[in-house]
Amino acid sequence: MSGLILIVEDETDLLESLAYSLQREGYQTRKATTGKAAIELARQEPVPDLVLLDLMLPDLSGIEVCRQLRSDDRTRKMLVLMLTARGEEIDRVVGFEVGADDYVVKPFSVRELALRIRALLRRGRTEEQEQEQEQVVFGRLKIDAGAHKVFVDAEEVMLTALEFRLLTTFLSRKGRAQTREALLDTVWGIQADITTRTVDTHVKRLREKIGAAGSYIETLRGVGYRFKSRPDEDAS
Ligand code: CA
């Protein structure tokens, strides 16, 4: 398997041994020991395919690094595999409040890590191919990205450009919790003073417009929203 992996770890022994092991697996690597260096290296072309991100770093936390990666167009889609110690905020990381794609708990075996990395990269590549397809079908919903058209049960639904972007954003992150802040950031493209209520208003309108497909968008109390991972997934 090939790919460029950014390793972010302040324990230099671990950093070096990870880099060595991953190179032996055929990956190219970049190394950072601080959060700030990580963000800089993540933005350098070619951007890494995946970031191995230690949660506890001397400057920024892994959580903050992850947030910054997700809020920048250049690094938004980067896969993030979090390295945590037992008991360290795993709920938040795994709850995808933070937006990590997966995590491993230290101490881990190189073999386990390599398997997780391979699975993530494979998944990432499949999703990319799916997104390149013009038409996406999800249950009763069909989206023609090229023509900017949305159909529910073969009936065309008229959406505003913003609602269209909201829907495609949800779909591109299906199965993952989305905070209102993250949606604001991606869909509205500003981190400014529009309140998170704006998100609620637009989600409500979008749900109404897509009718029968509206139930694919779940509300997560205290978190935000989540687009189902499969159309037939039971409500959680
Ligand atoms: Ca650390």
Side-chain angles (χ1 to χ4, degrees):
M1 194 105 185
S2 63
L4 173 59
I5 300 179
L6 170 60
I7 312 169
V8 188
E9 171 60 69
D10 59 320
E11 293 162 52
T12 47
D13 287 353
L14 181 57
L15 178 69
E16 293 304 331
S17 84
L18 284 174
Y20 175 78
S21 307
L22 293 175
Q23 283 163 17
R24 280 191 48 170
E25 296 271 333
Y27 298 106
Q28 290 176 286
T29 58
R30 247 178 234 171
K31 295 180 282 187
T33 54
T34 64
K36 283 187 184 132
I39 290 165
E40 235 165 70
L41 288 176
R43 287 172 180 166
Q44 275 177 21
E45 294 283 345
V47 296
D49 300 292
L50 184 143
V51 185
L52 271 187
L53 182 56
D54 184 25
L55 191 59
M56 298 292 277
L57 294 164
D59 53 348
L60 306 173
S61 72
I63 288 176
E64 182 52 33
V65 173
C66 194
R67 263 196 206 117
Q68 293 200 24
L69 294 177
R70 291 293 187 234
S71 66
D72 185 325
D73 272 337
R74 288 168 289 183
T75 53
R76 190 187 303 286
K77 288 184 177 166
M78 212 169 274
L79 295 162
V80 176
L81 179 53
M82 202 74 97
L83 308 177
T84 74
R86 205 165 291 280
E88 268 183 350
E89 304 191 80
I90 290 172
D91 290 351
R92 292 178 67 200
V93 173
V94 184
F96 298 116
E97 178 195 339
V98 173
D101 295 287
D102 200 0
Y103 75 102
V104 290
V105 177
K106 294 177 184 176
F108 48 79
S109 70
V110 168
R111 195 183 131 72
E112 180 194 357
L113 186 70
L115 287 174
R116 294 290 191 88
I117 289 173
R118 199 172 310 156
L120 265 186
L121 286 174
R122 198 177 296 138
R123 195 179 88 193
R125 273 163 202 162
T126 316
E127 274 173 15
E128 222 165 73
Q129 284 160 3
E130 277 173 9
Q131 277 164 18
E132 277 167 14
Q133 289 170 1
E134 288 279 277
Q135 295 204 347
V136 179
V137 177
F138 186 90
R140 311 171 77 156
L141 198 60
K142 189 174 94 181
I143 297 177
D144 188 329
H148 261 242
K149 285 183 175 178
V150 175
F151 303 84
V152 177
D153 294 335
E155 288 257 332
E156 188 175 354
V157 180
M158 304 308 281
L159 298 183
T160 64
L162 194 122
E163 288 160 353
F164 186 84
R165 206 153 63 227
L166 184 59
L167 181 61
T168 50
T169 299
F170 270 130
L171 207 59
S172 70
R173 301 174 181 176
K174 59 184 183 234
R176 302 202 333 220
Q178 300 300 311
T179 63
R180 292 176 175 82
E181 289 78 9
L183 288 168
L184 263 184
D185 201 33
T186 310
V187 178
W188 280 259
I190 25 171
Q191 293 169 315
D193 293 335
I194 294 188
T195 68
T196 49
R197 285 200 84 97
T198 309
V199 179
D200 294 334
T201 309
H202 283 85
V203 170
K204 184 164 176 267
R205 204 169 301 154
L206 173 62
R207 269 194 188 128
E208 284 166 7
K209 282 195 180 177
I210 61 175
S215 62
Y216 298 152
I217 305 171
E218 302 174 311
T219 304
L220 301 182
R221 275 190 64 186
V223 180
Y225 297 96
R226 176 179 176 277
F227 201 89
K228 288 185 176 180
S229 56
R230 301 186 320 272
D232 58 353
E233 187 190 318
D234 288 336
S236 55

